[in-house]
Amino acid sequence: MKNIIIGTAGHIDHGKTTLIKALTGRNTDRWEEEQRRGITIDLGFTYFDLPGGDRAGIIDVPGHEKFINNMVAGVVGMDLVLLVIAADEGIMPQTREHMDILNLLGIEKSIIVLNKCDLVDEEWLEMMEEDVREELSGTFLEHAPLIRVSAVTGEGLGDLVKEIEHQTRDEVVQKDIHTIPRLPIDRVFSLSGFGTIITGTLVSGTITKEDTLQMYPVGTECKIRSIQVHGEDKKECYAGQRVAINLSNVKKKEIKRGCVLAPLNSMKNTDLLDVKLNVLDSSVRILTNHTRLHFFTGTSEVLCRAVLLDKEEIGPGESGYVQLRMEEEVAVRRGDKFVVRFYSPMETIGGGVILEPNPKIKRRFQPEVIEELKRKEEGSSADVIEMHVKSHADTLITVSELAKLTALSLEEVEQDVKELEGQGSVYVFPMRKDIYVWHCDSAREAERILLKALGEYEEKYPYRYGIKKAQVQTTYFKKVKPNVYDRILTLLEEQGSLKRVDEFLSTPGYEVRKDKIYDRVSKIMLDTFKKAGFDFARYSEITCKDVPQEIMDDILNILLEEKQIVKINDEMYTLTSYMETAKEKIREHLKEDPLITIAQVRDMFATSRKSAKPILEYMDSIKVTKKTGAESERVAY
């Protein structure tokens, strides 16, 4: 059984609510004011079953001009629209506005219902049909079937039901149940004993009882207590269904029409939108920069300013790239359709599609901005994800953050990232908690900058192994997390782009300089340390004529790195071979005697207490010995 959503549209008093009652046996006017005044103010919902077994949810959309915002909310998730035109009046101004809105929001399947046929004769009906067809020529309704009915007498209702079944039998667009669930809220109320209840059309995904979701843009977590679809309790609901959901953890006053229920951290609130905006042919307005507008998408209505990015103005029948700067936050997805109405007087002037739901502020008439928006308009979700990855060159971006920015499911993002990786467009770094993505262009640029810096450093400091790894991060990768930075270095090393020697990074073919200066300085140092024996020479007392201290320090570090010498403490150094000998002697002593003292070490190496103490401290550092409590005593580690 398919679930189909049918909407009605048309001018006030053309009989939409009466038609729905004739089809379903139910009155969709819920409020006392609606019934008293005989007009639909808010959205009404009901359903009926088609002869073939499919269930058709039906939405009664307000026809009065003042309630257009509710009309826009009602279009969300519709598969088919019944455009109701009274046979005694024909197409009226609100009928035309409804047609424009349906077209802007992407509704394609429609049936023209010529209602109140019992009020006119056959000749008038034929003339009215001709008028309607002429009015609709060139619109998306040009080839829509036209059915004559009388909601009051029941005439033609059977033909209408047959046409609805025909149009929805094979041709209804399959809803995407495999992406994140999104439920734009069109009603919220509370019932004693139940608490907060919301209604809406589930436009994508699946919601299951006991799920914990999030209410956007307010941010509140909500648990699904129960689900109803057309008045029946269900364990889950699917995209394309009209649903009522009982929520816990959230109060009625926290929610309003325009909120969206979706998974935790699956969307990102925004007060900026990049859009392609089309101004209606019929509009009498010219859209200029910074015009204030009413913005409608899903069930949201928000005031905004339109910043025209590629034109000075957009006239009737024209389109352009626009950044909408919202006066309240919304949560939307790329590809969502929208409508804009002039601020005052309130009239529909156009609409379009959201290209980027989480942009940065853009300046006007920037070629790179226009090119980016063209790509987003024409490209796939993988193209959009690639652009997001590219824009995070300095920080990298996680798959979960990409999902949040694009309002796609993790599975969809992972598939797109896998595709981009296969194309050689991105590098992927799976970490314990998330997957980081880096664009190959960003990697190449980082490599170029890093190699240039390493080359300049090596020229300036030829007696050093390169730049310290930590220094490279704080200078060139300061916005990247340390564990991700390690993965970047591993990638560059595996590609042969750089060389790593312990904690030093250098260009691939670089070797420290070992020239006459190196030979002379290293010989002086090694001879000094050798001659001092276990009395240890102080490094500060070693001098080498005509060699700057900085070069002396660098050559000392080479000897340390090559393990020819070891550092005893901040002042004392000695030959590695001496300390290896000391280590073996101390271990031999500890085999015979579990305790060794500073005095014993002094006698063992025929040195002073001043040198014996550093020997034991060094042994502590390499885990040969450890303190027992007394400062002068050690036991085996």
Side-chain angles (χ1 to χ4, degrees):
M1 181 181 78
K2 291 201 297 282
N3 286 278
I4 299 150
I5 303 295
I6 299 172
T8 62
H11 193 72
I12 186 173
D13 286 337
H14 278 207
K16 297 187 299 298
T17 303
T18 307
L19 175 65
I20 291 173
K21 186 174 182 181
L23 287 170
T24 68
R26 301 178 189 88
N27 189 350
T28 56
D29 280 344
R30 295 178 295 107
W31 309 117
E32 181 274 331
E33 184 186 3
E34 292 177 325
Q35 295 184 14
R36 177 170 50 80
R37 293 172 61 188
I39 64 170
T40 300
I41 297 173
D42 207 343
L43 301 169
F45 310 106
T46 185
Y47 67 92
F48 67 102
D49 291 328
L50 294 168
D54 291 335
R55 176 155 288 180
I58 192 160
I59 303 175
D60 188 9
V61 168
H64 195 284
E65 188 275 335
K66 289 183 180 178
F67 310 123
I68 286 284
N69 59 331
N70 287 345
M71 184 267 164
V72 175
V75 175
V76 175
M78 283 185 186
D79 298 302
L80 172 70
V81 170
L82 307 181
L83 182 67
V84 182
I85 302 171
D88 59 339
E89 288 189 319
I91 291 178
M92 301 291 282
Q94 268 73 60
T95 314
R96 293 189 182 90
E97 188 164 26
H98 279 206
M99 286 164 50
D100 288 336
I101 289 170
L102 294 172
N103 190 27
L104 290 167
L105 294 176
I107 299 297
E108 296 175 355
K109 304 175 84 59
S110 297
I111 299 172
I112 302 161
V113 181
L114 200 59
N115 193 22
K116 301 189 180 183
C117 289
D118 57 312
L119 301 181
V120 296
D121 59 26
E122 181 65 27
E123 185 178 348
W124 181 272
L125 275 173
E126 289 178 5
M127 182 188 72
M128 186 57 68
E129 275 199 37
E130 287 181 16
D131 286 348
V132 168
R133 285 298 182 193
E134 188 176 334
E135 286 269 7
L136 299 179
S137 177
T139 73
F140 76 103
L141 293 160
E142 183 174 13
H143 302 295
L146 186 150
I147 308 293
R148 298 180 181 182
V149 304
S150 168
V152 172
T153 68
E155 176 191 349
L157 289 180
D159 294 335
L160 176 58
V161 170
K162 284 180 185 176
E163 184 59 37
I164 290 171
E165 187 157 49
H166 171 72
Q167 289 232 17
T168 58
R169 183 178 297 132
D170 303 312
E171 302 173 4
V172 171
V173 177
Q174 186 66 36
K175 299 295 192 304
D176 189 354
I177 64 172
H178 301 296
T179 187
I180 65 164
R182 283 198 303 157
L183 180 68
I185 310 306
D186 51 40
R187 282 181 66 207
V188 56
F189 55 94
S190 59
L191 287 177
S192 178
F194 291 91
T196 305
I197 296 172
I198 57 170
T199 69
T201 302
L202 187 58
V203 295
S204 63
T206 303
I207 294 177
T208 305
K209 188 178 176 181
E210 302 302 325
D211 280 350
T212 298
L213 302 177
Q214 190 168 350
M215 190 66 68
Y216 296 87
V218 295
T220 308
E221 289 187 21
C222 315
K223 192 167 184 180
I224 309 302
R225 293 176 63 182
S226 62
I227 299 170
Q228 281 198 351
V229 179
H230 300 310
E232 296 179 4
D233 288 331
K234 300 288 183 181
K235 289 184 178 179
E236 55 188 0
C237 54
Y238 305 95
Q241 292 181 325
R242 281 291 310 169
V243 300
I245 293 180
N246 184 198
L247 299 174
S248 59
N249 305 337
V250 63
K251 295 179 180 178
K252 175 190 170 185
K253 65 182 180 182
E254 296 178 63
I255 311 172
K256 62 180 181 179
R257 175 177 291 169
C259 288
V260 178
L261 190 65
L264 297 171
N265 298 315
S266 64
M267 302 179 75
K268 192 170 182 178
N269 295 345
T270 182
D271 57 6
L272 291 174
L273 296 173
D274 288 345
V275 305
K276 180 69 173 289
L277 193 149
N278 309 301
V279 173
L280 293 167
D281 291 334
S282 58
S283 175
V284 296
R285 303 284 174 186
I286 293 175
L287 187 63
T288 56
N289 189 50
H290 228 56
T291 300
R292 198 177 191 205
L293 300 169
H294 292 263
F295 169 87
F296 300 88
T297 189
T299 57
S300 300
E301 177 189 359
V302 179
L303 288 168
C304 66
R305 295 277 182 183
V307 176
L308 278 54
L309 298 174
D310 62 341
K311 293 181 178 177
E312 289 292 352
E313 59 182 37
I314 305 175
E318 295 179 345
S319 62
Y321 295 118
V322 176
Q323 183 163 82
L324 299 177
R325 297 182 180 172
M326 321 301 288
E327 296 183 18
E328 298 175 41
E329 287 190 333
V330 294
V332 295
R333 181 174 176 172
R334 173 181 176 260
D336 284 353
K337 301 289 181 63
F338 68 91
V339 169
V340 288
R341 307 191 79 212
F342 201 65
Y343 177 66
S344 182
M346 280 273 279
E347 57 190 52
T348 303
I349 63 170
V353 64
I354 294 170
L355 302 179
E356 174 52 63
N358 295 99
K360 296 176 181 176
I361 287 183
K362 290 181 171 61
R363 291 167 55 207
R364 304 180 67 205
F365 304 113
Q366 301 297 303
E368 66 277 10
V369 166
I370 307 308
E371 184 58 35
E372 176 190 327
L373 292 174
K374 281 181 182 174
R375 282 190 62 196
K376 287 184 177 179
E377 181 183 7
E378 298 165 1
S380 64
S381 60
D383 294 327
V384 173
I385 282 173
E386 184 180 1
M387 281 186 270
H388 277 299
V389 174
K390 234 177 185 177
S391 69
H392 288 76
D394 296 340
T395 59
L396 282 67
I397 189 168
T398 65
V399 166
S400 58
E401 183 64 17
L402 285 167
K404 193 172 180 180
L405 285 171
T406 57
L408 294 169
S409 69
L410 277 173
E411 292 75 17
E412 288 171 310
V413 173
E414 285 170 359
Q415 187 61 41
D416 285 341
V417 167
K418 188 176 180 181
E419 179 186 326
L420 292 169
E421 185 183 22
Q423 294 170 359
S425 299
V426 301
Y427 293 114
V428 177
F429 303 125
M431 308 301 286
R432 189 166 60 86
K433 291 186 178 179
D434 214 329
I435 298 170
Y436 283 81
V437 190
W438 200 26
H439 199 279
C440 291
D441 289 352
S442 306
R444 281 188 285 271
E445 178 61 11
E447 179 186 343
R448 184 191 68 78
I449 292 170
L450 181 56
L451 288 177
K452 182 174 183 288
L454 289 171
E456 290 172 352
Y457 190 90
E458 290 157 6
E459 189 174 336
K460 186 175 181 181
Y461 303 107
Y463 299 103
R464 296 183 185 179
Y465 276 96
I467 307 178
K468 284 186 177 180
K469 173 186 159 186
Q471 185 182 339
V472 168
Q473 180 175 16
T474 54
T475 307
Y476 302 102
F477 294 94
K478 57 188 173 185
K479 295 181 181 178
V480 177
K481 291 185 175 180
N483 57 344
V484 181
Y485 170 59
D486 285 338
R487 294 295 297 273
I488 289 173
L489 292 186
T490 301
L491 171 72
L492 295 175
E493 194 176 6
E494 288 173 350
Q495 291 178 337
S497 301
L498 59 78
K499 184 169 74 172
R500 184 163 19 180
V501 177
D502 292 333
E503 292 301 303
F504 296 95
L505 304 176
S506 69
T507 55
Y510 173 72
E511 297 290 343
V512 292
R513 185 181 295 176
K514 291 190 176 179
D515 54 7
K516 290 180 179 179
I517 294 175
Y518 171 82
D519 291 340
R520 181 158 65 94
V521 172
S522 62
K523 186 176 186 308
I524 289 171
M525 288 184 184
L526 292 172
D527 287 349
T528 302
F529 297 143
K530 183 178 181 181
K531 185 179 178 180
F534 287 101
D535 287 331
F536 304 137
R538 290 182 177 275
Y539 172 63
S540 59
E541 295 172 357
I542 300 174
T543 59
C544 190
K545 190 178 179 183
D546 301 327
V547 178
Q549 187 62 47
E550 187 176 69
I551 291 178
M552 294 269 295
D553 294 345
D554 290 346
I555 292 173
L556 178 76
N557 281 326
I558 293 173
L559 296 175
L560 284 167
E561 193 65 36
E562 293 181 350
K563 295 184 170 52
Q564 294 188 59
I565 63 173
V566 294
K567 182 178 181 180
I568 307 297
N569 57 32
D570 288 342
E571 272 293 308
M572 297 177 178
Y573 295 81
T574 190
L575 299 183
T576 303
S577 59
Y578 284 179
M579 295 314 288
E580 286 297 311
T581 299
K583 181 170 69 175
E584 291 307 313
K585 282 190 174 185
I586 289 171
R587 276 181 171 163
E588 287 297 320
H589 174 93
L590 290 170
K591 285 179 184 177
E592 302 294 329
D593 183 348
L595 192 70
I596 190 169
T597 65
I598 290 176
Q600 287 172 320
V601 171
R602 177 196 63 199
D603 296 341
M604 187 181 292
F605 299 107
T607 186
S608 65
R609 184 180 178 87
K610 195 174 181 181
S611 295
K613 184 180 178 184
I615 292 174
L616 272 186
E617 288 172 345
Y618 176 79
M619 294 302 155
D620 291 345
S621 72
I622 62 171
K623 297 184 177 174
V624 172
T625 59
K626 62 181 179 180
K627 288 182 181 179
T628 60
E631 180 64 30
S632 62
E633 295 177 347
R634 300 292 192 277
V635 295
Y637 188 84

